[in-house]
């Protein structure tokens, strides 16, 4: 039986190729994902560990320039740490945002990973954290050093003048040196600027104060001993850990961070394999049907049912092993490609080998072989159950009425249960509702897949008259062939249905969310421009002052973050410019007037006022950020604006209770609206600062909607693999169908159906099957998109379901194109059949 199984594999190489490709793609995705994440995790862990090589104890604080309650590490405390027995060196560190301009004046890096720090030379005149490849470290107020990659991208050399943006105005420094570093921000595509320590302290904290301290041990001294000696010297807000403990913590954070990426990629690999199951099962069903007489003869000469089933499963295992070997090799290439592709998005993986773990190898082969064998189990079981005499008298064994009734009943029950779960989940909000929907979606998909053979006859019957009118005999025969074997048609259509269910659901959800975000910005914003720091940090007060003097500004207001405590509840608040804020934002009032801000009163959004029982005219006893108490009168209640905090107060009130303004955004309205000239005026007013981002209304829409579009594009790309497997399924089905109908095709040719009409018949059959699967998928996808959207509606005020009919039309057209392309080879094979040879075929 083993030799027979191997012979059958070799005898049907072309027919099994599609199955091998389907399994191979799924295995490649699984193995590639595991190898890529293992490689990335290993590289990042090694980099993290390397950055703590010379650190025995690390002291960290929450010192903040805007909050004097966080003292940090003073020079006196640092000196005490340096005097602890066993300390070799103790280096103080400060850091913050620093952006460098490229030759075109644009920011090098991505903002959030553009950092600045202090150069702190030891007794030997060097800072052990950095290795200089050119020049020396900055030891004067007008000097800086740059990491090698940033210097290269900016075309800077030692001695050049470099424009550097921090939270304040842009300044020019002389480049004193270029260095290499294991800093994670640099490896993430950012930049690192080193300043003299005194300069860095003034920029990022306070003179003579450090945020962190790195302590190295003298030879023979343990990190635990140093930790014991250092801890008693630290202020209350400081925390000390050994370098090894910090490296371990970062390794765990890296692992947790990669688990989400790993899970997402494996989920799509699972979808591809799930689609592949139908192709595999379909292939083995057709192969077994073609060999029914052969299997019956084996039974007649003494083979048991178990041996017949084992023979088919062994054949599947051989196919699975071959596909797994090829898929694993392809997965290694995929992992290498993903690693290189990260560079295109501004990321840079630290150097390191490709990690091929036993888990990746075992998972790849287990997935490939098990999926193939499981998919072939049902066809193998059917083959073993056919009585030898019945098999010899009939090539095709028909399903019994009992089996069809049972199948359709199970499908109907699963579909109803799944549909009910989806509706129930849609009635809930948040992650609980989405979990219920996920369970319901799985049940519904399984139920519809079971019912698809039953659905195929009435659905395809609807289009049969149209096909006959448009394409004559070819159209009529194509419609009849499509429903001749409902199970085969159903299995082929199921693969396309699954892919298009996911694609349509994502499209409905993505377009709906995108338009909600678009409405949110359009309806809430009247301003022409928004100015922010590229780093996402706060703007300096000097930026507001500079913009107030810019040419063409007709209205300007900061959004200055602060908070109020009323009784025991904290409420987020924004310090804004009275008189201008209502010209920059849509602030329809429920009661009172926004003009009350001019009188020192506050405005509260409707939701906050209602939940706290506040109304216009009430006086609230509040505690400010500086813990001072006072009274504020509610001058207006307005409908909520997603761009602003729920409480608005005059900026001067916020300034009176904060040591440093926390300005997150500056909003402006210009004479003549947004234009190149007005934007250039703002750039000029800010001193051509590369660290500041100036966005018009369209940029703001793109910023909020960009993440939705990016997520959709990534998912489209990942789901494309499932659709490729579905296409292979259509090709496989048609090829098998042509093989089985050789005699019939020969007869049709003999009675006058020419080659062109034979090709058309096969192509139309493919299009009908593809469109049937696509319609089922589109309907399910819209249903799921609606349900998931309902769970998000409460969190998105502007949410309203949008059906992207244009995209759905494209999906259906593409499904038709898929059918035509999939039919090219089978149609050509059918048209080339010799009439006489085909007629004599059994």
């Amino acid at each position: 039986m083993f030799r027979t199984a191997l012979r059958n594999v070799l005898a049907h190489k072309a027919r099994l190729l599609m199955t091998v490709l389907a399994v191979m793609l799924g295995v490649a995705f699984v193995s590639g994902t595991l190898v890529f994440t293992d490689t990335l995790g290993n590289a990042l862990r090694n980099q993290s560990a390397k950055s703590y090589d010379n650190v025995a104890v690390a002291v960290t604080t929450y010192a903040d320039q805007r909050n004097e309650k966080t003292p940090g590490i003073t020079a006196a405390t640092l000196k005490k740490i340096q005097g602890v027995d066993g300390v070799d060196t103790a280096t103080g560190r400060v850091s913050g945002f620093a952006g460098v301009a490229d030759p075109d004046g644009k920011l090098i890096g991505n903002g959030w990973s553009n950092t600045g720090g202090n150069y702190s030379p030891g007794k030997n005149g060097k800072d052990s954290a950095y290795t200089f490849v050119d020049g020396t470290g900055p030891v004067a107020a007008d000097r800086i050093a740059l990491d090698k990659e940033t210097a290269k991208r900016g075309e800077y050399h030692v001695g050049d003048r470099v424009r550097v943006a921090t939270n304040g105005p842009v300044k020019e420094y002389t480049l004193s040196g270029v260095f290499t570093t294991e800093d994670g921000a640099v490896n993430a595509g950012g930049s690192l600027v080193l300043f003299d320590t005194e300069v860095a302290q003034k920029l990022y904290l306070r003179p003579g104060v450090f945020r962190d301290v790195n302590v190295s041990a003298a030879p023979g001294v343990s990190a635990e001993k140093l930790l014991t000696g250092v801890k008693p010297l630290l202020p209350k807000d400081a925390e000390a850990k050994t370098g090894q403990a910090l490296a371990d913590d970062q390794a765990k954070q890296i692992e947790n961070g990669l688990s989400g990426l790993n899970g997402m990629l494996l989920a799509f690999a699972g979808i591809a394999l799930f689609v592949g199951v139908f192709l595999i099962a379909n292939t083995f069903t057709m192969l077994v049907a073609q060999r029914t007489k052969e299997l019956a003869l084996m039974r007649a000469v003494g083979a048991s049912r178990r041996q017949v089933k084992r023979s088919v499963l062994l054949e599947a295992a051989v196919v699975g092993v071959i596909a797994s070997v090829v898929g694993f090799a392809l997965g290694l290439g995929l992992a290498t490609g993903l690693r290189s592709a990260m560079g295109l998005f501004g990321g840079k993986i630290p150097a390191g080998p490709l990690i091929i773990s036993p888990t990746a190898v075992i998972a790849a082969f287990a997935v490939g072989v098990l999926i193939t064998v499981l998919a072939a189990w049902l066809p193998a079981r059917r083959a073993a159950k056919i009585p030898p005499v019945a098999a010899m008298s009939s090539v095709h064994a028909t399903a019994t009425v009992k089996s069809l009734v049972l199948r359709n009943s199970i499908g109907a029950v699963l579909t109803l249960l799944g549909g009910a779960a989806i509706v129930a989940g849609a009635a809930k909000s948040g992650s609980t509702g989405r979990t219920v929907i996920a369970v319901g979606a799985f049940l519904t998909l399984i139920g519809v897949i079971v019912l698809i053979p039953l659905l195929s006859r009435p659905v395809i019957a609807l289009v049969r008259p149209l096909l006959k009118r448009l394409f004559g005999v070819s159209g009529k025969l194509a419609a009849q062939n499509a429903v001749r074997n409902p199970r085969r048609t159903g299995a082929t259509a199921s693969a396309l249905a699954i892919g298009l269910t996911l694609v349509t659901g994502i499209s409905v959800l993505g377009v709906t969310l995108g338009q909600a975000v678009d409405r949110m910005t359009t309806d809430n914003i009247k301003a022409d421009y928004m100015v922010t720091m590229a780093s996402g940090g706060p703007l300096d007060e000097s930026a507001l002052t500079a913009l107030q003097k810019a040419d063409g500004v007709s209205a300007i207001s900061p959004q200055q973050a602060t908070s109020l405590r009323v009784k025991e509840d904290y409420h987020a608040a924004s310090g804004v410019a009275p008189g201008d804020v209502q010209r920059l934002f849509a602030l329809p009032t429920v009661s009172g007037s926004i003009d009350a801000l001019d009188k020192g009163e506050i405005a509260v959004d409707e939701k906050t006022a209602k939940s706290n029982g506040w109304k216009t005219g009430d006086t609230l006893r509040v505690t400010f950020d500086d813990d001072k108490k006072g009274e504020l009168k509610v001058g207006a209640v307005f409908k909520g604006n997603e761009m602003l905090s729920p409480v608005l107060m005059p900026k001067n009130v916020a300034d009176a209770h904060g040591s440093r303004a926390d300005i997150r955004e500056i909003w402006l309205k210009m004479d003549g609206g947004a234009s190149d000239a007005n934007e250039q005026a703002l750039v000029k007013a800010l001193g051509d600062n590369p660290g500041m981002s100036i966005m018009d209304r369209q940029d703001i829409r793109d910023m909020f909607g960009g993440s939705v579009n990016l997520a959709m594009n990534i998912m489209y790309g990942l789901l494309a693999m499932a659709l490729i497997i579905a296409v292979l399924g259509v090709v496989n089905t048609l090829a098998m169908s042509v093989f089985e109908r050789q005699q019939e095709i020969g007869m049709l040719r003999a009675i006058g159906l020419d080659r062109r009409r034979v090709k058309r018949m096969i192509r139309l059959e493919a299009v009908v099957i593809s469109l049937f699967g696509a319609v089922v998928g589109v309907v399910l996808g819209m249903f799921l998109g609606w349900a998931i959207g309902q769970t998000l509606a409460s969190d998105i005020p502007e949410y309203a379901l949008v059906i992207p009919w244009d995209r759905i039309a494209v999906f259906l057209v593409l499904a038709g194109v898929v059918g035509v392309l999939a039919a090219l080879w089978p149609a050509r094979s059918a048209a080339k059949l010799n009439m006489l040879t085909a007629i004599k075929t059994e």
Side-chain angles (χ1 to χ4, degrees):
M1 297 303 289
F2 178 73
R3 287 197 301 272
T4 302
L6 290 179
R7 180 182 62 79
N8 284 325
V9 171
L10 296 173
H12 302 101
K13 293 187 288 290
R15 296 174 212 165
L16 290 169
L17 177 62
M18 304 299 177
T19 300
V20 170
L21 286 172
V23 179
M24 179 189 73
L25 287 172
V27 170
F29 220 116
V30 171
S31 58
T33 295
L34 293 175
V35 171
F36 171 68
T37 51
D38 285 345
T39 299
L40 180 59
N42 181 71
L44 293 175
R45 282 191 295 271
N46 287 344
Q47 180 195 61
S48 175
K50 191 173 181 181
S51 65
Y52 288 105
D53 274 351
N54 298 318
V55 178
V57 173
V59 179
T60 56
T61 72
Y62 299 97
D64 191 320
Q65 193 174 37
R66 297 183 302 277
N67 188 354
E68 293 182 358
K69 296 178 183 177
T70 53
I73 305 295
T74 63
T77 302
L78 178 62
K79 191 171 183 180
K80 291 179 182 177
I81 294 172
Q82 290 169 337
V84 171
D85 185 33
V87 169
D88 183 24
T89 61
T91 307
R93 300 289 185 194
V94 288
S95 61
F97 168 75
V100 178
D102 66 11
D104 297 324
K106 303 296 183 183
L107 182 69
I108 296 175
N110 46 31
W112 61 267
S113 59
N114 294 111
T115 57
N118 64 306
Y119 177 73
S120 183
K123 297 173 184 177
N124 61 358
K126 297 180 180 180
D127 190 327
S128 59
Y130 312 104
T131 302
F132 279 80
V133 295
D134 192 13
T136 60
V139 289
D142 65 338
R143 303 296 175 97
I144 61 162
L146 293 177
D147 68 271
K148 184 179 177 181
E149 188 64 27
T150 301
K152 180 181 177 182
R153 290 164 69 182
E155 301 177 9
Y156 292 118
H157 302 91
V158 171
D160 288 350
R161 296 289 285 177
V162 182
R163 297 177 71 251
V164 180
T166 54
N167 285 354
V170 179
K171 293 183 181 179
E172 281 197 354
Y173 300 85
T174 299
L175 183 62
S176 66
V178 177
F179 59 89
T180 59
T181 177
E182 294 298 326
D183 187 278
V186 174
N187 281 294
S191 62
L192 178 58
V193 182
L194 295 181
F195 300 91
D196 175 69
T197 294
E198 289 186 7
V199 173
Q201 287 176 326
K202 290 176 183 177
L203 284 172
Y204 300 127
L205 208 52
R206 289 176 288 277
V209 178
F210 299 93
R211 181 174 287 119
D212 308 314
V213 176
N214 292 336
V215 182
S216 64
V221 178
S222 69
E224 286 72 20
K225 180 181 177 182
L226 282 188
L227 186 64
T228 303
V230 167
K231 271 189 172 181
L233 306 176
L234 303 179
K236 290 181 180 180
D237 75 322
E239 182 182 13
K241 286 187 177 182
T242 64
Q244 185 60 52
L246 278 177
D248 292 342
D249 288 346
Q250 285 200 7
K252 287 180 182 177
Q253 290 173 9
I254 290 167
E255 187 175 339
N256 292 336
L258 291 175
S259 63
L261 173 65
N262 204 19
M264 182 184 73
L265 293 176
L266 287 176
F268 283 99
I271 291 167
L273 287 167
F274 185 53
V275 173
V277 164
F278 296 96
L279 190 154
I280 298 164
N282 218 12
T283 300
F284 277 94
T285 298
M286 289 184 279
L287 288 174
V288 166
Q290 290 173 12
R291 287 161 35 205
T292 304
K293 285 189 175 182
E294 174 191 328
L295 295 172
L297 184 61
M298 291 172 64
R299 289 288 312 282
V301 297
S304 66
R305 285 187 175 184
R306 182 178 296 178
Q307 285 178 308
V308 170
K309 184 164 70 174
R310 194 181 297 161
S311 171
V312 177
L313 292 178
L314 184 59
E315 190 177 335
V318 171
V319 172
V321 169
I322 294 170
S324 296
V325 170
V326 179
F328 187 76
L330 191 64
L332 295 181
L334 179 64
T336 305
L338 285 171
R339 183 173 177 171
S340 301
M342 283 194 70
L344 300 175
F345 295 96
K348 187 174 70 173
I349 299 178
L354 201 66
I355 303 300
I356 304 174
S357 66
T359 302
V361 177
I362 292 169
F365 280 86
V367 163
V369 176
L370 284 176
I371 289 292
T372 310
V373 170
L374 287 173
W377 179 81
L378 196 57
R381 183 171 174 271
R382 287 194 195 124
K385 288 177 68 176
I386 299 173
V389 175
M392 287 181 179
S393 62
S394 176
V395 176
H396 302 290
T398 58
T400 64
V401 174
K402 181 181 177 182
S403 69
L404 291 175
V405 170
L406 179 63
R407 175 192 177 103
N408 294 334
S409 299
I410 292 172
V413 169
L414 288 174
T415 304
L416 289 172
L417 286 175
I422 291 171
V423 172
K428 299 178 180 290
S429 60
S431 58
T432 304
R434 290 189 285 276
T435 302
V436 175
I437 290 172
V439 174
F442 180 75
L443 292 175
T444 303
L445 271 176
I446 299 297
V448 169
I449 288 164
V450 173
L451 284 175
I452 271 185
L454 178 66
L455 296 172
S456 63
R457 287 186 182 277
V459 173
I460 294 175
L462 292 174
V463 299
R464 187 184 299 168
L466 179 63
L467 289 173
K468 185 177 178 181
R469 275 201 303 272
L470 293 177
F471 303 102
V473 175
S474 296
K476 180 181 179 181
L477 291 172
Q480 290 175 344
N481 291 333
V483 294
R484 177 180 292 184
N485 190 329
R487 281 187 173 176
R488 181 187 301 170
T489 298
T492 306
S494 294
L496 275 170
I498 294 167
L500 279 170
T501 295
L502 297 170
V503 170
T504 304
I506 289 168
S507 296
V508 169
L509 198 58
V511 171
T512 298
L513 291 176
Q515 292 199 15
V517 168
D518 191 57
R519 284 194 299 273
M520 182 176 73
T521 54
T522 304
D523 295 348
N524 290 332
I525 299 172
K526 295 180 182 178
D528 296 316
Y529 291 102
M530 176 180 76
V531 177
T532 61
M533 287 298 296
S535 63
L539 289 152
D540 191 77
E541 188 83 34
S542 61
L544 179 61
T545 303
L547 288 171
Q548 286 170 336
K549 299 175 183 177
D551 293 337
V553 174
S554 59
I556 181 171
S557 174
Q559 182 172 201
Q560 184 170 318
T562 184
S563 66
L564 297 172
R565 192 173 84 232
V566 181
K567 297 180 180 178
E568 298 302 319
D569 296 326
Y570 282 89
H571 300 277
S574 292
V576 296
D580 280 359
V581 67
Q582 53 266 54
R583 297 179 60 195
L584 298 166
F585 299 95
L587 295 171
T589 54
V590 177
S591 60
S593 171
I594 299 296
D595 293 337
L597 291 169
D598 283 315
K599 305 173 187 176
E601 298 174 0
I602 62 173
V604 182
D605 76 5
E606 186 179 18
K607 186 177 179 181
T608 302
K610 187 175 181 180
S611 63
N612 289 277
W614 302 339
K615 59 184 183 297
T616 301
D618 286 353
T619 299
L620 308 179
R621 296 187 59 80
V622 303
T623 303
F624 295 97
D625 276 347
D626 58 359
D627 289 336
K628 291 182 180 177
K629 299 184 185 299
E631 292 185 348
L632 289 173
K633 185 178 180 181
V634 178
V637 174
F638 65 95
K639 292 185 178 178
N641 188 306
E642 296 300 311
M643 300 293 133
L644 294 169
S645 299
V647 178
L648 304 181
M649 67 170 67
K651 183 180 184 303
N652 64 328
V653 175
D655 286 340
H657 297 282
S659 58
R660 188 181 177 95
D662 187 3
I663 301 174
R664 294 292 166 174
E665 302 144 10
I666 299 174
W667 297 83
L668 304 104
K669 197 167 187 63
M670 308 288 287
D671 294 331
S675 67
D676 291 341
N678 279 336
E679 184 172 343
Q680 195 55 42
L682 299 181
V683 171
K684 183 179 178 182
L686 292 170
D688 200 13
N689 191 325
M692 293 185 185
S693 174
I694 300 172
M695 290 183 278
D696 61 21
R697 209 175 301 180
Q698 185 57 51
D699 293 330
I700 297 168
R701 280 199 287 261
D702 293 342
M703 177 183 70
F704 284 105
S707 57
V708 174
N709 293 329
L710 177 62
M712 284 177 64
N713 291 334
I714 290 172
M715 289 187 177
Y716 283 153
L718 293 171
L719 289 171
M721 188 173 67
L723 292 176
I724 288 171
I725 294 174
V727 172
L728 294 176
V730 177
V731 175
N732 214 14
T733 296
L734 291 173
M736 293 292 187
S737 179
V738 168
F739 179 83
E740 289 177 358
R741 287 158 33 206
Q742 287 186 65
Q743 189 179 55
E744 176 189 318
I745 292 169
M747 290 294 293
L748 289 170
R749 289 289 314 283
I751 62 174
L753 195 68
D754 58 23
R755 289 184 174 182
R756 183 171 58 85
R757 289 179 181 175
V758 169
K759 285 183 180 180
R760 184 185 296 167
M761 176 184 72
I762 302 298
R763 283 197 294 266
L764 288 173
E765 182 180 346
V767 170
V768 167
I769 293 173
S770 299
L771 286 176
F772 171 55
V775 168
V776 172
V778 163
V779 171
L780 281 176
M782 288 193 291
F783 182 42
L784 286 175
W786 163 80
I788 295 172
Q790 290 300 111
T791 67
L792 300 169
S794 60
D795 299 323
I796 304 173
E798 302 295 332
Y799 181 88
L801 181 68
V802 178
I803 303 296
W805 296 111
D806 53 343
R807 298 194 187 196
I808 289 171
V810 170
F811 296 156
L812 294 175
V813 170
L814 287 176
V817 172
V818 162
V820 172
L821 294 176
L824 288 177
W825 173 51
R828 187 169 177 271
S829 300
K832 288 177 67 178
L833 285 174
N834 182 283
M835 281 184 283
L836 295 178
T837 304
I839 290 170
K840 289 187 293 182
T841 302
E842 292 187 8

